[in-house]
Every structure is written in structure tokens, then in C-alpha cells.
Amino acid sequence: MAGDLNLSNLKPAQAQKARKRVGRGLGSGKGRYAGRGIKGQKSRAGSHYMRAGFEGGQMPSYMRMGKQRGATSKDAMPIGPFRTSTWSVNVRDLEQRFKAGAEVTPEALVAVGLIRNLKLDVKILGYGDLKAKLVVSAHSFSKSAVEKIEAAGGSVTWLKPPHEQKVRRHKKKAASVPPQEREAVETDEAPEEAAADADAAEEPAADAGEPAAEAAEEPAGEA
């Protein structure tokens, strides 16, 4: 029967495209250079698997852009050698997972599935509403989280001392004088300077007259 399935009429349900066979002679159309051209980076093996951010050897964009200041400062963003990571938990999640009067600790957060493990510090954030009275212990808290927990009648316990940002001291700038006051001071000083210049001009003239008088007296004494 024509409709019987056998090896002569067996074919896949979906047509398959034949694989491109390169380097099989000039008659194939993909021989000699196998469609890669002559020399160059893209003719080499592995040239089509370049890492992310690679721009062909030129200076990449992430190195051309300006960097943030304070990369090695503990008060800077979590970059560089002082990079820190924490588990972030919002007070909204505490409201959903814990009953009023419960004690919230990192171990309890792992038990209810809010954090994965205890390898990182836990930080409580203030997103959402909290009405249950909870005793929360964590490594750090945001300002809004502390306010909401205490407003609900609960308390917070810092497992690490709060970080105090160091005060940066800058040199004080000289007090700027308004233009009107500056002009008034200059006008007051101008007459005094003119009088001092006049006195200075008179002194050399008096000194110059004294030697002439002495010279006139000396011959008279000799005679």
C-alpha cells in the first residue's frame, strides 16, 4: 500500500537544514578560506567567542569613563576592597511572617525563608507598614526601619555597633567682604595714603638741602 510507512518513504516530521560544510574544495563555494577571508582577527579560531566588554583591543568604554571618587574609602559606595554585602529584609516582610510579640533574629529569618543563610549580615529596611510589636535583632537598621519598629511598640538590638561616618574637615575660607563695604574701605584709605606719600616726598628734599649748606660753609671756614 502507498500509505504504508517504510524506509523508502520515511522522513522527519520537520524539515532539517543541512549543515554548512566549509573547507571542502573550491567547487563547494566555501573552500580555501572557508568563508573567513584572509587573515585578521575574525579568521582565527575562537574569535567569535569574545568576553563581554571586549572592543577589539581599543580602550573599552568602562575604562574610558570617569571613576567615582573614594573607591578605597570605607565611607564610599560598596566598591573596591571595602565591598560589603548584606541580606536586606523590609519591615513589610516581618509583618507578614511573624506574629505580634515574636523575637526576630537572623536564625528566625532563615527558618521562615526570608534569607538564605547566615553567611552575610542582615539589614532591616523600612519599606512597608508594621503594626505588630516585634523584638528585632539584626546587624544594621535603616533610620526609617527603627522608627517604624519602635512606633509599633517593639525594640531593636544591634548585633554590630552602628557605623559612624567620619567627619571630613575642610579649611575655612576667608570671609568675603561685600563690594559696597570694600569700596567704602578703599575710599577711607585713599586720603591717608596720599598724605603718607606727600610726607615721604618732602623728607628726601630736606635731606638733599643739608649737604649743600655744609659745602658752602667749609670754604668760608678755611679762608
Side-chain angles (χ1 to χ4, degrees), residues 41-57:
Q41 182 179 7
K42 291 189 177 180
S43 70
R44 316 301 183 189
S47 62
H48 298 279
Y49 302 95
M50 288 171 282
R51 59 177 172 79
F54 182 68
E55 298 183 12

Side-chain angles (χ1 to χ4, degrees), residues 6-7 12 28 30 38 54 65-66 73 81 87-88 96-97 107 111 121-122 133 149 158 162 166 170 209-210 213:
N6 52 50
L7 294 177
S28 66
K30 295 294 180 183
I38 304 175
F54 182 68
M65 290 188 298
S73 173
W87 294 116
S88 300
Q96 297 173 354
R97 301 296 181 92
E107 292 78 7
D121 293 347
V122 179
K133 179 180 179 181
I149 293 172
W158 294 75
K166 61 184 180 182
H170 300 282
E210 292 177 358

Side-chain angles (χ1 to χ4, degrees), residues 70-145:
T72 58
S73 173
K74 291 184 179 180
D75 294 333
M77 293 180 62
I79 55 179
F82 300 104
R83 183 182 292 110
T84 56
S85 299
T86 58
W87 294 116
S88 300
V89 180
N90 286 290
V91 294
R92 174 192 60 181
D93 303 325
L94 302 180
E95 175 77 17
Q96 297 173 354
R97 301 296 181 92
F98 294 94
K99 296 181 180 179
E103 183 177 355
V104 181
T105 61
E107 292 78 7
L109 295 174
V110 173
V112 298
L114 287 179
I115 62 175
R116 190 174 300 174
N117 51 50
L118 300 176
K119 294 181 180 180
L120 302 177
D121 293 347
V122 179
K123 183 172 184 178
I124 306 299
L125 304 179
Y127 181 77
D129 297 328
L130 179 65
K131 298 180 180 179
K133 179 180 179 181
L134 301 174
V135 179
V136 185
S137 299
H139 299 88
S140 58
F141 298 84
S142 67
K143 184 177 180 180
S144 59

Side-chain angles (χ1 to χ4, degrees), residues 182-198:
R182 190 183 304 115
E183 293 177 359
V185 172
E186 291 176 355
T187 53
D188 294 341
E189 293 178 353
E192 298 178 359
E193 293 178 356
D197 295 340

Side-chain angles (χ1 to χ4, degrees), residues 168-187:
R168 300 184 182 276
R169 298 180 179 177
H170 300 282
K171 294 182 179 178
K172 294 183 179 180
K173 295 182 179 179
S176 59
V177 181
Q180 298 177 353
E181 296 182 5
R182 190 183 304 115
E183 293 177 359
V185 172
E186 291 176 355
T187 53

